[in-house]
Amino acid sequence: MRARTLSFGLYGDERDLAWARNLVREAVTSRSARLVEEKIAHTVLGSELTTADVYGFLAEQWAVEHPGESSGERVPVELSVRLVCSRRTWWAIRKAVIKALCPEGPRPHTCRVPWIAA
């Protein structure tokens, strides 16, 4: 077992981010992994770039999917978690979080929170 990082770019407000964090925690709890650290960042880890620089396209996606609506308090952020688990468990957790973020799968639809697996 070793520490592994799981990161997602998200465009949401506090309520959306709490929802996404809960999805990650549920996925970790249901598998044999230990959550070591959880961080919501406004700069990309290991870089001087802001999350707006890297994930700004998520704001554009939201605007296209919600024409005429205000984005309110939404901002692009990176949700990053450090887990202690096997590689197989890391993949299973990543897959579970992606499925929870986007239950409709690859067919065209609007996700609750625009996201990308980083």
Side-chain angles (χ1 to χ4, degrees):
M1 301 280 190
R2 56 178 255 211
R4 301 173 192 282
T5 302
L6 185 62
S7 298
F8 293 93
L10 304 163
Y11 182 67
D13 57 20
E14 286 300 321
R15 194 179 93 231
D16 296 330
L17 300 179
W19 173 75
R21 290 169 87 170
N22 190 49
L23 294 178
V24 171
R25 288 180 191 140
E26 287 176 10
V28 169
T29 302
S30 67
R31 288 157 182 87
S32 56
R34 184 169 48 98
L35 184 66
V36 191
E37 179 184 19
E38 180 182 89
K39 186 185 298 187
I40 298 230
H42 295 279
T43 58
V44 177
L45 298 176
S47 171
E48 293 182 13
L49 296 173
T50 68
T51 52
D53 295 331
V54 177
Y55 302 118
F57 69 93
L58 294 174
E60 295 169 16
Q61 176 185 337
W62 191 90
V64 167
E65 293 174 347
H66 301 87
E69 289 184 42
S70 168
S71 62
E73 303 283 320
R74 288 177 179 80
V75 294
V77 298
E78 184 172 85
L79 171 60
S80 181
V81 294
R82 300 266 308 151
L83 308 168
V84 174
C85 62
S86 68
R87 184 162 178 80
R88 173 181 256 167
T89 300
W90 179 88
W91 274 108
I93 291 169
R94 184 178 187 273
K95 184 177 178 179
V97 172
I98 289 171
K99 185 172 182 164
L101 284 170
C102 195
E104 300 293 323
R107 68 181 186 166
H109 66 283
T110 300
C111 290
R112 173 177 171 177
V113 176
W115 64 276
I116 187 167

